[in-house]
């Protein structure tokens, strides 16, 4: 009865209002217990499509909320002083100009507890930049290449890390050149402790710590597998331990050189893996990376031994003093050098396992390719042989073979 009255109402309604009533009729039919046909679902005449599910919380949305809340405090005067701690670098020391050095004042920085607020703010910025690269660059490439799930996650990891390593290498190299650390290697340990550092170097360390801290929430946003979480945590923890150690122990000069060297080698690996995913025949990048990886480990050990075993060991002031930031004692030197050597040994062990796995895969695939070539070469026969019925094949012109002619003549 309800369906019949609804159809009669549709006759007297103008055409521009029929669409609304069709939705009403669909609701009445559902309330009456009527079934909706599949054709009605497709056309939308009798069925209303269900509302889409709410989107899951994205990394850009959650980070942008914290970013906006931090910038909101700049709108009021009584909260602007607290908001400055999150955005600008703290612990500025202005050195007046002298006749010997320069005619301008120099601003240097040291570290303190307020740096944690700055690291937190730029960690949110790193999350937003990570989401932008993922959505507008990597996801578009993934749709075109149609990677598997395993390659999809590795491609995203290499894409993000290669962008970060390239940015850090270029920025770190510019600091090394501007501060003349490359031309004068003794600056790695001369005038220790390096408590006062320029703006570029402190900002570099703040962003490095912020980036590697942002990698922890990225494990949730990227939906990392449970079996890969422990490996990622160890990977991130090693970076944070060494970067924070160089920053807190006032070994910023040595830490900057070792970071740039390590990042350059890692950039070659990840950019080679990106090219490998696009074309699996590309293997030259891994060969170049393997050579530079070993050279990078050797150069890291040489610089570390020179700094702790030669430079700082001969310094005059070798007393522990927290007020001046002097940690140049035998126990600290041995501990730092041992941690660097253990990290290099761990990376070499992973590198050797990686190369052995590649060699086994290459050696196992090579006999299969040789066997395929042999089978195809054995299966191919010439045209003359096929016509003469070679390999047990029966041909239509078998009676014209020399053997059959001889039999006929006899």
């Amino acid at each position: 009865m309800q369906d019949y009255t609804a159809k009669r109402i549709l006759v007297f309604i103008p055409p521009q209002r029929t669409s609304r009533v069709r939705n009403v009729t669909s609701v009445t039919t559902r309330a009456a217990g009527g079934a909706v046909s599949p054709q009605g679902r497709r056309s939308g005449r009798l069925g209303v499509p269900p509302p889409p599910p709410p989107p899951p919380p994205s990394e850009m949305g959650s980070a942008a909320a914290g970013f906006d809340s931090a910038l909101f405090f700049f709108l009021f005067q009584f909260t602007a002083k607290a908001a400055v701690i999150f955005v600008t670098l703290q612990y500025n020391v202005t050195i007046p100009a002298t006749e010997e050095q320069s005619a301008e004042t120099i601003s240097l920085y040291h570290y303190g507890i307020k740096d944690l607020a700055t690291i937190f703010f730029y960690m949110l910025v790193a999350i937003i930049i990570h989401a932008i690269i993922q959505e507008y660059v990597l996801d578009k490439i993934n749709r075109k290449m149609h990677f598997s799930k395993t390659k999809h996650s590795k491609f995203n990891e290499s894409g993000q890390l290669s962008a970060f390593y390239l940015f850090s290498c270029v920025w770190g190299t510019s600091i090394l050149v501007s501060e003349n650390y490359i031309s004068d290697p003794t600056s790695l340990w001369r005038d220790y402790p390096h408590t006062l550092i320029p703006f570029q170097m402190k900002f570099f360390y703040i962003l490095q710590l912020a980036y590697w801290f942002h990698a922890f929430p990225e494990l949730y946003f990227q939906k990392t597998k449970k079996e890969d979480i422990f490996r990622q945590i160890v990977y991130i923890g090693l970076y944070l331990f060494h970067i924070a150690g160089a920053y807190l122990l006032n070994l910023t000069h040595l830490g900057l050189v070792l970071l740039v060297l390590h990042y350059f080698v890692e950039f070659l690996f990840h950019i080679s893996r990106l090219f490998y995913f696009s074309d699996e025949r590309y293997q030259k990048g891994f060969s170049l990376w393997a050579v530079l990886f070993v050279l990078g480990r050797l150069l890291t050990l040489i610089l570390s031994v020179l700094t702790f075993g030669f430079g700082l060991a001969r310094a005059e002031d070798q007393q522990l003093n927290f007020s001046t930031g002097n940690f140049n004692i035998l126990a600290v030197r041995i501990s730092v050098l041992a941690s660097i050597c253990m990290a290099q040994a761990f990376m070499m062990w992973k590198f050797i396992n990686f190369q052995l796995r590649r060699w086994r895969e290459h050696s196992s695939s090579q006999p299969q390719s040789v066997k395929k070539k042999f089978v195809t070469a054995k299966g191919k026969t010439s045209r003359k042989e096929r016509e003469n019925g070679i390999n047990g094949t029966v041909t239509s012109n078998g009676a014209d073979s020399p053997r059959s002619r001889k039999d006929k003549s006899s």
Side-chain angles (χ1 to χ4, degrees):
M1 184 65 182
Q2 292 178 355
D3 295 341
Y4 177 74
T5 54
K7 291 179 181 179
R8 291 189 63 184
I9 292 172
L10 287 174
V11 177
F12 300 99
I13 292 178
Q16 61 270 19
R17 296 185 181 179
T18 55
S19 60
R20 297 182 181 178
V21 180
R22 283 168 184 167
N23 294 333
V24 174
T25 55
S26 64
V27 175
T28 56
T29 53
R30 290 174 184 270
V36 181
S37 63
Q39 292 81 6
R41 289 195 187 98
R42 296 193 197 100
S43 61
R45 294 182 179 180
L46 296 179
V48 179
S58 62
E59 52 181 323
M60 186 182 296
S62 58
F67 183 79
D68 294 338
S69 61
L71 295 180
F72 177 76
F73 290 103
F74 281 100
L75 300 177
F76 305 99
Q77 186 176 2
F78 61 91
T79 58
K81 294 181 180 180
V84 168
I85 300 175
F86 290 89
V87 180
T88 60
L89 300 183
Q90 302 299 311
Y91 306 105
N92 182 15
V93 176
T94 303
I95 299 176
T98 59
E99 297 180 357
E100 298 178 357
Q101 294 181 355
S102 61
E104 298 180 357
T105 59
I106 302 174
S107 296
L108 299 177
Y109 294 83
H110 60 91
Y111 65 84
I113 192 65
K114 295 180 181 179
D115 291 340
L116 295 176
T118 311
I119 292 172
F120 174 76
F121 176 79
Y122 286 102
M123 182 187 71
L124 300 179
V125 176
I127 293 175
I128 295 174
I129 296 175
H130 186 111
I132 292 173
I133 295 174
Q134 182 67 40
E135 184 174 355
Y136 294 99
V137 179
L138 297 178
D139 286 346
K140 291 183 179 180
I141 298 175
N142 284 324
R143 294 190 194 101
K144 293 181 180 179
M145 301 301 294
H146 302 287
F147 292 129
S148 61
K149 290 184 178 180
T150 305
K151 285 187 176 182
H152 180 81
S153 61
K154 290 183 179 180
F155 182 84
N156 291 337
E157 179 185 3
S158 295
Q160 296 286 349
L161 289 176
S162 59
F164 170 71
Y165 288 147
L166 179 61
F167 171 75
S168 300
C169 282
V170 174
W171 190 12
T173 305
S174 65
I175 297 174
L176 293 177
V177 173
S178 62
E179 298 296 330
N180 296 324
Y181 294 156
I182 299 177
S183 59
D184 188 10
T186 59
S187 61
L188 299 179
W189 59 81
R190 191 177 64 242
D191 299 331
Y192 180 84
H194 306 138
T195 53
L196 298 177
I197 56 178
F199 172 82
Q200 290 287 338
M201 184 174 289
K202 177 167 183 177
F203 197 35
F204 179 84
Y205 273 94
I206 291 293
L207 290 186
Q208 293 297 315
L209 292 172
Y211 180 86
W212 290 110
F213 271 117
H214 109 283
F216 287 113
E218 286 295 335
L219 296 177
Y220 169 74
F221 292 130
Q222 297 295 328
K223 298 179 181 179
T224 307
K225 297 180 181 179
K226 292 182 179 180
E227 56 269 17
D228 295 336
I229 290 178
F230 180 75
R231 178 182 63 86
Q232 292 289 341
I233 291 176
V234 172
Y235 183 75
I236 298 166
L238 285 175
Y239 275 104
L240 287 174
F241 176 76
H242 288 89
I243 295 173
Y247 186 64
L248 296 176
L249 296 178
N250 297 316
L251 295 169
T252 51
H253 296 185
L254 177 64
L256 179 61
V257 174
L258 297 183
L259 272 179
V260 171
L261 179 62
H262 177 73
Y263 283 169
F264 177 71
V265 177
E266 291 296 306
F267 169 73
L268 287 179
F269 171 74
H270 288 285
I271 201 69
S272 300
R273 193 158 73 164
L274 290 177
F275 283 113
Y276 174 76
F277 287 149
S278 61
D279 186 5
E280 294 186 355
R281 294 174 298 178
Y282 184 82
Q283 299 284 342
K284 296 180 181 179
F286 291 110
S287 301
L288 178 62
W289 164 76
V291 176
L292 293 179
F293 183 87
V294 177
L295 294 178
R297 305 284 74 78
L298 292 176
L299 189 57
T300 299
L301 291 175
I302 291 172
L303 292 176
S304 301
V305 171
L306 283 177
T307 302
F308 295 104
F310 177 77
L312 295 178
R314 296 186 178 185
E316 297 178 358
D317 189 5
Q318 296 190 13
Q319 295 181 357
L320 183 64
N321 192 345
F322 292 99
S323 60
T324 60
N326 187 7
F327 299 94
N328 187 15
I329 59 175
L330 181 61
V332 174
R333 292 199 303 268
I334 292 177
S335 301
V336 174
L337 186 60
S339 76
I340 294 175
C341 293
M342 289 176 63
Q344 304 307 308
F346 175 74
M347 286 188 287
M348 280 299 299
W349 177 68
K350 299 286 287 184
F351 171 77
I352 292 172
N353 288 334
F354 175 76
Q355 295 296 331
L356 288 176
R357 186 169 64 250
R358 285 189 62 203
W359 178 74
R360 289 170 185 171
E361 292 176 355
H362 180 71
S363 60
S364 62
S365 62
Q366 189 173 2
Q368 294 179 359
S369 61
V370 173
K371 187 176 180 180
K372 286 182 179 179
K373 290 181 180 179
F374 177 75
V375 170
T376 54
K378 186 177 179 181
K380 288 183 179 179
T381 57
S382 63
R383 183 177 180 182
K384 185 177 180 180
E385 290 174 345
R386 289 196 301 268
E387 291 177 353
N388 294 333
I390 304 299
N391 295 330
T393 58
V394 180
T395 58
S396 59
N397 56 353
D400 297 332
S401 61
R403 184 181 296 272
S404 60
R405 291 176 184 174
K406 187 176 180 180
D407 295 338
K408 289 181 179 179
S409 61
S410 60

